[in-house]
Amino acid sequence: MSVQERKQREWAERERLIVATARELAEEQGWDAVTTRRLAERIEYSQPVLYSHFRGKREIIGAVALQGAAELAAELRGAAAEAEAGAGASASVEGVRGRVTALARAYLDFAERNPAVYDAMFQLDGGLAFAAEDTPEALKDGFAALLETLRDVAGEGVEPGLFTEVFWASLHGLATLTRAGRLPVGDAERRVWLLVSRLAVV
């Protein structure tokens, strides 16, 4: 390995460590606790080293958001594929509805398990553009992971991308309102059933 390759590997490892530590600290204590000083203390690097990777907290939030988007996309695709494999006749009403239900549950489960990451993705300013030409690929792929399953249930004459936006907005609303204590926790499964049975055209 050349000196240049070793430096690049060390750089990438340092960056991964910074993002992982920020994410861990945010999940433990909230994003207000994430400062460059505290990160530097935790990872035992100087603040100038952190600033050589990220110009500040906003960019760190953005990096966590991109990581979260990639993880969410993988979980959504995994849940839909598992539901499809489990349904003998995946083209049947039950099979399609099963995939959409699995997708909705996976989304809500991700938001519940990773509140700080979810905030980085959708609540905080990470300097990332949504629904624009310069939207990062990880964010586009997160939307694509929803669209891949939801395009089958948009209904005749309904643009699949628009339907996916509405379905996603519904999931986001359920996730944030439940987390904020605005919705009773015990009815979560019934809400998923209502969302899928009333919005998804199978």
Side-chain angles (χ1 to χ4, degrees):
M1 180 187 301
S2 70
V3 172
Q4 182 65 22
E5 287 173 330
R6 189 174 70 251
K7 284 184 177 179
Q8 287 174 342
R9 178 179 288 183
E10 288 170 355
W11 178 273
E13 286 174 0
R14 239 187 351 254
E15 198 157 281
R16 277 193 296 272
L17 179 61
I18 293 166
V19 172
T21 305
R23 180 174 173 167
E24 181 182 282
L25 187 56
E27 292 292 5
E28 288 172 2
Q29 301 175 34
W31 278 105
D32 286 344
V34 180
T35 65
T36 53
R37 182 185 59 77
R38 291 190 74 183
L39 284 174
E41 288 172 0
R42 276 210 177 192
I43 63 177
E44 298 180 345
Y45 285 122
S46 67
Q47 284 182 280
V49 170
L50 263 70
Y51 283 117
S52 72
H53 287 270
F54 300 100
R55 284 179 289 189
K57 183 174 175 177
R58 183 177 187 231
E59 285 192 0
I60 293 171
I61 290 170
V64 170
L66 292 177
Q67 189 180 75
E71 291 173 10
L72 176 59
E75 290 193 23
L76 295 176
R77 288 188 174 108
E82 189 176 325
E84 185 173 0
S90 62
S92 69
V93 170
E94 293 78 14
V96 174
R97 189 164 284 155
R99 284 200 314 277
V100 177
T101 300
L103 183 86
R105 285 181 183 141
Y107 185 98
L108 295 172
D109 287 347
F110 179 89
E112 183 181 1
R113 285 192 332 270
N114 305 282
V117 174
Y118 195 80
D119 282 350
M121 293 166 69
F122 300 120
Q123 304 289 97
L124 303 175
D125 179 11
L128 304 175
F130 281 78
E133 285 186 20
D134 59 340
T135 298
E137 286 305 314
L139 298 181
K140 290 179 183 177
D141 192 50
F143 185 79
L146 289 166
L147 179 62
E148 288 160 16
T149 293
L150 295 174
R151 68 165 38 108
D152 295 335
V153 296
E156 189 176 343
V158 177
E159 200 277 305
L162 188 62
F163 176 79
T164 300
E165 290 172 356
V166 171
F167 199 94
W168 171 30
S170 300
L171 289 172
H172 177 69
L174 288 175
T176 54
L177 289 171
T178 300
R179 182 170 151 206
R182 302 296 195 270
L183 298 175
V185 179
D187 290 331
E189 194 59 32
R190 289 174 60 208
R191 289 188 198 100
V192 169
W193 179 84
L194 278 170
L195 179 62
V196 173
S197 64
R198 296 297 186 263
L199 276 186
V201 177
V202 183

